[in-house]
Amino acid sequence: MNTKITVTDLFLGILAVMLIGVSFYQTWMGLQQIFGGSSFIVALVLSLILLFLLWQIRRAKTSGGSASSLGWIYFFFAIFCFVANFNALYTRFMKTDIYTTELREVNEKFTRLETDVESKLNYSVPDAKVRQAIRSELNLLKIQISDPKNVGIGPEARQILARIEKMIGKKVTPLTPVSETPEGYADLADRMEEQVVQMVYNLTPEEKNLMSDINDASLRWNKEIQSLLQMTPDVINGMAQGQIDNSLTEYNRLGSKAESILGRDKLKFEPAHSETQEVGKIGYAFSHAIKNFGMFPLVVLAGCILLDFGIMLIILLMPTENNRNTGRNESIFNSRRSGKTII
């Protein structure tokens, strides 16, 4: 048996250490959900086993022996690293995208709830599109009245009121603030909204409060979520889960309240739940990748295969020095047993 270390052996050794080293770090990150602080030890043990098996496979190849059994053992241990690597890489690069998608869906949920509840109420303005336009103008009016740069009912607010009056066909009375403070102007905005709502809707006190709560929540969460989405990925990743949990809690509360007031025969509300708490878990990474399969999951998949199985395939398929000297090009796939026949 030739124990001399060749340039090829040295190159393969360096390549193996580099690839398995990267795999070790990703395995460490990917297994934290299961093993916690012990994931470092587990990842280190798996990586050392893989390096040892690669060395044994190379020795078997250079000595002319069969490496198939070692290859299957390597595959068994490498599959654990592959799963952890996929979880770590997919979560790292998709985390922000997952959170931003969920945040936008929360905004859409509030909008749908607002629309669904409004569609079940009685109106003095029968056209749904006109009511929606009035609601949009009311949101603008509230923002304008509370704008620190131009508080109260100034020229811009009066223009908005004129558009609202044209749509409802009634005159809106400009009110005055109880005090010239931010709180006073916020109160003015609420009272102006209430005045217009009373003109548009024929509501009971409970229905009026419900619509006001839903409109306020929709406007507030839309503003907060849009503000968060403008932040850096690190800030989004750190704050998104709290925003999602709090917004969905309020969404479910308002939806249940609407169902209680309007009756289940008019509005059937299904509470919303988010799966973003599962981000970072192995099962979620694979399920999300399958549901949203595209170029990025494919790239991550290919990268994980390269990290954990690439070097093994190179060693198995690479001809040895002995094979070159005998003019044969053997690999695990075409090796044959040889021997002498005694006649």
Side-chain angles (χ1 to χ4, degrees):
M1 177 179 174
N2 184 13
T3 59
K4 181 181 178 181
I5 297 178
T6 65
V7 175
T8 301
D9 294 329
L10 185 61
F11 170 76
L12 291 175
I14 294 173
L15 187 61
V17 170
M18 292 175 64
L19 290 174
I20 300 301
V22 175
S23 176
F24 156 71
Y25 178 77
Q26 300 302 332
T27 302
W28 176 20
M29 297 293 103
L31 291 178
Q32 285 185 342
Q33 170 221 341
I34 300 175
F35 296 102
S38 302
S39 60
F40 175 85
I41 302 299
V42 175
L44 182 61
V45 170
L46 286 171
S47 299
L48 291 175
I49 290 174
L50 294 185
L51 286 173
F52 174 75
L53 289 171
L54 288 172
W55 176 53
Q56 291 294 321
I57 291 172
R58 178 62 181 169
R59 284 186 62 190
K61 285 282 294 178
T62 55
S63 63
S66 174
S68 58
S69 59
L70 290 170
W72 283 111
I73 297 173
Y74 180 94
F75 179 84
F76 174 78
F77 286 101
I79 199 69
F80 292 100
C81 295
F82 170 81
V83 170
N85 288 343
F86 188 90
N87 179 42
L89 289 172
Y90 190 82
T91 299
R92 176 179 300 172
F93 292 106
M94 289 297 292
K95 191 174 186 178
T96 303
D97 184 70
I98 292 170
Y99 281 139
T100 54
T101 300
E102 185 69 18
L103 287 167
R104 291 190 177 99
E105 288 180 357
V106 169
N107 270 342
E108 293 175 3
K109 284 182 173 67
F110 273 104
T111 300
R112 287 196 297 268
L113 178 62
E114 192 174 15
T115 303
D116 289 344
V117 172
E118 285 188 356
S119 67
K120 304 300 188 297
L121 301 175
N122 298 319
Y123 319 97
S124 58
V125 178
D127 193 321
K129 291 183 178 179
V130 175
R131 292 195 305 271
Q132 187 62 39
I134 293 173
R135 170 49 56 191
S136 298
E137 294 290 352
L138 273 177
N139 291 337
L140 291 175
L141 179 64
K142 293 182 68 176
I143 294 173
Q144 185 60 54
I145 291 175
S146 303
D147 185 1
K149 297 180 181 179
N150 190 18
V151 293
I153 303 179
E156 291 82 0
R158 291 185 181 277
Q159 291 177 7
I160 297 172
L161 283 174
R163 294 197 295 268
I164 293 175
E165 289 173 344
K166 185 176 180 180
M167 285 186 282
I168 63 178
K170 297 179 182 179
K171 189 71 175 177
V172 179
T173 303
L175 305 177
T176 56
V178 293
S179 63
E180 294 184 356
T181 62
E183 293 76 15
Y185 288 112
D187 174 72
L188 173 62
D190 291 338
R191 287 188 288 121
M192 289 298 299
E193 179 188 32
E194 183 179 358
Q195 180 185 177
V196 174
V197 167
Q198 288 177 344
M199 293 179 177
V200 176
Y201 302 99
N202 182 21
L203 305 178
T204 65
E206 284 185 332
E207 291 173 339
K208 183 170 64 175
N209 291 334
L210 172 65
M211 279 305 305
S212 178
D213 290 343
I214 293 176
N215 295 148
D216 289 344
S218 179
L219 182 63
R220 184 178 72 258
W221 283 114
N222 181 273
K223 184 177 180 180
E224 291 187 14
I225 288 174
Q226 291 302 324
S227 176
L228 178 58
L229 292 177
Q230 302 302 317
M231 301 294 182
T232 62
D234 288 340
V235 175
I236 293 175
N237 294 341
M239 298 180 61
Q241 190 58 60
Q243 290 280 62
I244 292 170
D245 291 340
N246 293 335
S247 59
L248 286 182
T249 297
E250 185 165 11
Y251 170 80
N252 290 333
R253 180 182 64 81
L254 291 173
S256 299
K257 181 180 178 181
E259 183 182 78
S260 175
I261 292 174
L262 299 176
R264 192 166 178 80
D265 56 327
K266 282 189 176 182
L267 180 70
K268 294 182 180 180
F269 176 76
E270 296 295 335
H273 303 283
S274 173
E275 294 184 350
T276 52
Q277 297 94 339
E278 304 297 313
V279 171
K281 296 183 179 180
I282 292 174
Y284 182 82
F286 279 93
S287 64
H288 189 274
I290 292 171
K291 292 177 183 177
N292 302 274
F293 192 77
M295 181 57 67
F296 186 81
L298 186 62
V299 170
V300 174
L301 181 65
C304 293
I305 292 174
L306 173 64
L307 284 177
D308 296 313
F309 300 102
I311 185 63
M312 182 190 70
L313 293 175
I314 292 174
I315 292 174
L316 290 176
L317 297 174
M318 179 174 287
T320 62
E321 295 295 331
N322 292 337
N323 291 337
R324 289 196 187 96
N325 294 336
T326 58
R328 296 165 61 190
N329 186 15
E330 291 187 357
S331 72
I332 188 175
F333 300 110
N334 62 12
S335 60
R336 296 180 180 176
R337 295 181 179 272
S338 60
K340 296 181 180 180
T341 303
I342 301 177
I343 301 176

